[in-house]
Amino acid sequence: MLERNVEKRVTAAQILIEIENLNCNFVNDFVNDFVNDFVKDDKIDELDFNIIELPNKSSFKFINKIIYEENNGFKDLFDILIDNNLIYIIDSEKRILIFNINGNFEKQIELQFQPSCITLDKKSDTLLIGDYNNVIIYRYSKELKLLQKIGTEYSSLYKFTKSLRVYSNLYTYFAISKIEVDETNGDLYVCNLNDKKIQIFAKDGTLQNEILGFKRPYDLYLTKNNKLIVTDSWDNCIKIFKKEELKSIVNCKPIAIHGKYGNFEKEFHYPSGFTFDIVKKQFIICEEENHRIQILDEEFNFIEMFGKKGNDWNEFIHPRKIAIDYKTGNIFLIDAGNQCIKIYKRNL
């Protein structure tokens, strides 16, 4: 970085190079402080402020956003699924909202429970929907006919004690945040936020194991090479497990941990939903409290990050979940605080 005792021959171009190398969210503040400090001390002559701008290096290009205006709009968006040119959206109402791939509203399906997440079981072509208030998974046909109910309800006492913690702002009441299907055998891997564990159910609904040791497991993904990837939000990191160990070891230890608390590269503040781009072989990770998206390659090396707190096209308030439409290459991102779905396309 340039020294404070720099001579007058320092140019704006040199400063710009330093700024580009930083590539961090605090760059704009850094620019103002850096430039003003040097100008005040007469270290730079005739500096053109207009050229001190951070180039937009992000591969994400904004296309559009989905805003639902009927029935008072979206309410605290939870999850999104894309399948067969349809967009399924879960919010904090007892319903599933369905849009076409262009973002036009199609219909609303009323439910008898509060859903928290939605997943497609590709082999059976059925929808798996998590219960917000209980450790229950509902399996539906595409016509929304109930086919199966897996899991158990919390006791009334358990719900009461949890609700007290919610009202005192010590806890967010949220049972299931993600369901992942093992395509080899139909097993279901479930993130249980309230109880801070991963649960594994057989296809018939039998509970096979519970993996403890998390602070708040939010999202997960099964890789083709038999690894389980989990975002542990309160631990501000990504944890990797061997799949073959998960059914037999309750306190299964991760084979690797990536990230720590912070706002630089490969640092996180409440990493939540993520997806693996099977074309680019990259992880796209939401950070709710850093209000940004971070991209890592399949070896968890840093690629890029973009976003800051706000309501512009490249700004977010608590980005939560991501889905990719591989037919168009479009990326659909839940911007929970701005109550919308933002649509992006990535450069090759």
Side-chain angles (χ1 to χ4, degrees):
M1 186 173 292
L2 297 174
E3 298 289 337
R4 281 291 308 271
N5 61 356
V6 62
E7 298 177 2
K8 282 190 176 183
R9 65 174 180 270
V10 174
T11 66
Q14 287 175 291
I15 298 173
L16 180 57
I17 291 172
E18 297 295 330
I19 294 168
E20 286 189 62
N21 289 336
L22 287 174
N23 193 24
C24 295
N25 282 347
F26 64 83
V27 164
N28 288 333
D29 293 335
F30 171 83
V31 172
N32 292 331
D33 294 342
F34 186 92
V35 172
N36 290 337
D37 197 21
F38 274 87
V39 172
K40 181 178 67 177
D41 290 344
D42 256 345
K43 300 298 183 183
I44 302 176
D45 45 354
E46 297 182 1
L47 179 63
D48 182 359
F49 287 86
N50 292 326
I51 69 171
I52 303 298
E53 297 177 354
L54 181 69
N56 181 12
K57 291 185 175 181
S58 174
S59 64
F60 286 75
K61 302 301 177 185
F62 178 74
I63 296 176
N64 202 353
K65 66 180 178 180
I66 301 174
I67 300 176
Y68 181 56
E69 297 181 343
E70 299 183 31
N71 300 320
N72 296 319
F74 290 130
K75 299 290 186 181
D76 197 10
L77 291 159
F78 289 155
D79 204 1
I80 181 170
L81 168 70
I82 298 174
D83 176 58
N84 197 26
N85 293 320
L86 292 176
I87 305 168
Y88 298 82
I89 296 174
I90 300 291
D91 67 1
S92 61
E93 300 294 308
K94 295 181 178 180
R95 64 188 182 184
I96 300 174
L97 299 168
I98 302 177
F99 295 75
N100 64 30
I101 203 63
N102 297 316
N104 299 313
F105 178 71
E106 293 276 330
K107 59 182 176 179
Q108 173 175 307
I109 307 296
E110 302 291 339
L111 299 174
Q112 298 301 310
F113 64 97
Q114 173 57 60
S116 59
C117 60
I118 183 168
T119 300
L120 176 69
D121 185 339
K122 295 179 181 179
K123 280 198 170 183
S124 62
D125 199 32
T126 55
L127 298 173
L128 297 167
I129 301 175
D131 192 324
Y132 183 92
N133 296 307
N134 299 282
V135 186
I136 294 178
I137 302 163
Y138 298 89
R139 186 186 297 273
Y140 286 88
S141 68
K142 289 291 187 63
E143 295 74 33
L144 273 298
K145 178 183 178 182
L146 182 61
L147 303 175
Q148 187 183 21
K149 181 179 176 181
I150 298 171
T152 57
E153 291 189 13
Y154 285 132
S155 68
S156 298
L157 177 60
Y158 183 94
K159 290 182 179 181
F160 177 70
T161 56
K162 290 295 184 185
S163 66
L164 289 180
R165 300 179 73 181
V166 172
Y167 294 135
S168 61
N169 292 321
L170 295 175
Y171 207 93
T172 301
Y173 195 99
F174 207 124
I176 296 177
S177 60
K178 179 61 183 285
I179 306 164
E180 178 82 352
V181 182
D182 186 341
E183 296 181 2
T184 64
N185 55 20
D187 286 351
L188 306 181
Y189 288 71
V190 178
C191 280
N192 183 332
L193 265 72
N194 271 347
D195 299 326
K196 303 177 184 179
K197 59 189 176 184
I198 302 294
Q199 294 175 290
I200 305 174
F201 294 89
K203 189 175 181 179
D204 64 3
T206 304
L207 178 63
Q208 298 185 323
N209 201 7
E210 296 183 332
I211 314 303
L212 308 178
F214 297 95
K215 291 186 177 179
R216 194 168 177 80
Y218 199 105
D219 203 347
L220 54 78
Y221 172 74
L222 285 167
T223 69
K224 298 297 183 182
N225 61 347
N226 295 319
K227 301 289 193 306
L228 179 70
I229 317 296
V230 182
T231 48
D232 195 343
S233 295
W234 279 359
D235 214 6
N236 297 298
C237 65
I238 299 170
K239 296 178 179 178
I240 296 92
F241 299 83
K242 288 183 179 179
K243 192 179 78 170
E244 61 266 26
E245 296 179 351
L246 295 175
K247 291 186 179 181
S248 58
I249 305 174
V250 174
N251 290 313
C252 183
K253 302 299 182 183
I255 59 173
I257 297 176
H258 296 277
K260 61 180 181 179
Y261 174 78
N263 62 1
F264 288 91
E265 298 175 2
K266 286 190 68 175
E267 295 181 347
F268 304 103
H269 190 182
Y270 203 91
S272 50
F274 72 97
T275 190
F276 182 69
D277 187 330
I278 61 175
V279 175
K280 294 181 171 61
K281 307 298 182 184
Q282 295 174 355
F283 291 96
I284 307 174
I285 305 160
C286 293
E287 294 182 68
E288 287 204 28
E289 295 303 325
N290 274 335
H291 309 285
R292 70 182 183 189
I293 305 303
Q294 192 164 174
I295 296 88
L296 307 178
D297 68 18
E298 58 186 337
E299 301 299 326
F300 297 94
N301 299 305
F302 176 79
I303 300 294
E304 68 170 297
M305 57 188 175
F306 86 103
K308 61 181 180 178
K309 190 172 184 179
N311 56 17
D312 204 348
W313 70 269
N314 61 345
E315 298 174 341
F316 312 103
I317 300 178
H318 305 304
R320 183 164 290 165
K321 286 287 186 76
I322 298 178
I324 299 177
D325 175 24
Y326 288 102
K327 292 182 180 179
T328 62
N330 290 345
I331 296 172
F332 294 74
L333 186 148
I334 288 181
D335 189 348
N338 286 314
Q339 299 290 11
C340 68
I341 310 292
K342 290 180 177 175
I343 308 172
Y344 298 88
K345 186 178 288 290
R346 292 187 69 191
N347 296 331
L348 297 176

